[in-house]
Amino acid sequence: MIRLLLADDQALVRGALAALLDLEPDLEVVAQVGRGDEVVDAARASGAEVCLLDIEMPGLNGIDAAAAIRRELPEVRSLIVTTFGRPGYVRRAIEAGASGFVVKDTPSRQLADAVRRVHAGLRVIDPDLAAESLIDGPSPLTAREQELLTHALDGAPVATIAARVHLSEGTVRNHLSAAIGKTGATTRSEAARIAQDRGWL
């Protein structure tokens, strides 16, 4: 039996995934959590071998949870299962240590097969997303630009962003200006939305 942990902040989705995967004769859901920062402890306590992670969760997103699993439990594999099929997410997830990336509308048999392949040490990536990820290439944004664009998502003014990250307003403007140029946007809010849509944030 392959022991699975499901991490998704939507209880209904989590329950449906568990019910589908438990129908497979060689798969057993041994733990379920609704927060990313609960994944490592729950995986350790349950003896999970493969963790299926949503991306957008409270506490810790799925990509950061995959990195935590690789760091804390290197023998445990992780598979991103998400609604957000953004090419930039694929690259970031694999770099963080995830063994696979599929979208939630994947048929249940294919999802079960993806779990088996990941458990066997193989990499599984949705083919359409893999192709888009190759075409789009890596994120052109620096870590600082990504951080500042994340703060710009809610429309915060430069002064507020500067106070949040403990930088001068001029430095924040320079980084945001560079990010606007790299995304082809005309405003920082537009740059933040473009970066988010491409999975760079």
Side-chain angles (χ1 to χ4, degrees):
M1 294 292 282
I2 301 172
R3 298 166 64 83
L4 309 179
L5 176 146
L6 305 182
D8 194 303
D9 63 335
Q10 295 180 320
L12 188 62
V13 172
R14 202 169 59 237
L17 275 175
L20 285 170
L21 292 169
D22 273 336
L23 292 173
E24 299 292 326
D26 58 337
L27 305 180
E28 180 186 9
V29 176
V30 296
Q32 298 182 44
V33 298
R35 296 176 55 89
D37 53 4
E38 297 173 345
V39 168
V40 169
D41 287 344
R44 187 181 284 119
S46 65
E49 298 167 283
V50 179
C51 297
L52 284 71
L53 310 172
D54 188 20
I55 287 186
E56 294 195 358
M57 293 185 287
L60 202 65
N61 68 49
I63 293 172
D64 291 339
I69 290 167
R70 180 173 65 176
R71 187 173 57 252
E72 304 281 330
L73 303 167
E75 72 284 1
V76 176
R77 311 267 188 226
S78 59
L79 172 64
I80 302 291
V81 183
T82 184
T83 305
F84 303 101
R86 297 171 179 154
Y89 280 166
V90 175
R91 186 178 295 273
R92 287 175 52 210
I94 299 306
E95 288 171 355
S99 297
F101 194 108
V102 296
V103 290
K104 283 182 180 170
D105 61 2
T106 299
S108 58
R109 283 190 190 279
Q110 287 181 25
L111 178 59
D113 186 52
V115 169
R116 294 182 188 104
R117 290 167 58 85
V118 163
H119 180 259
L122 302 173
R123 183 161 282 163
V124 179
I125 302 174
D126 179 280
D128 292 335
L129 287 173
E132 285 182 54
S133 180
L134 287 172
I135 291 166
D136 281 0
S139 169
L141 302 171
T142 65
R144 179 65 83 184
E145 289 163 359
Q146 289 172 334
E147 177 191 13
L148 296 178
L149 284 179
T150 300
H151 287 286
L153 278 169
D154 62 4
V158 169
T160 303
I161 295 171
R164 287 177 186 166
V165 298
H166 309 292
L167 292 173
S168 73
E169 291 182 31
T171 300
V172 169
R173 279 194 193 89
N174 288 341
H175 284 298
L176 289 174
S177 178
I180 289 167
K182 290 176 182 179
T183 57
T186 54
T187 66
R188 64 178 175 271
S189 296
E190 183 187 2
R193 282 195 307 276
I194 289 169
Q196 186 177 48
D197 288 346
R198 292 183 182 167
W200 295 343
L201 300 184

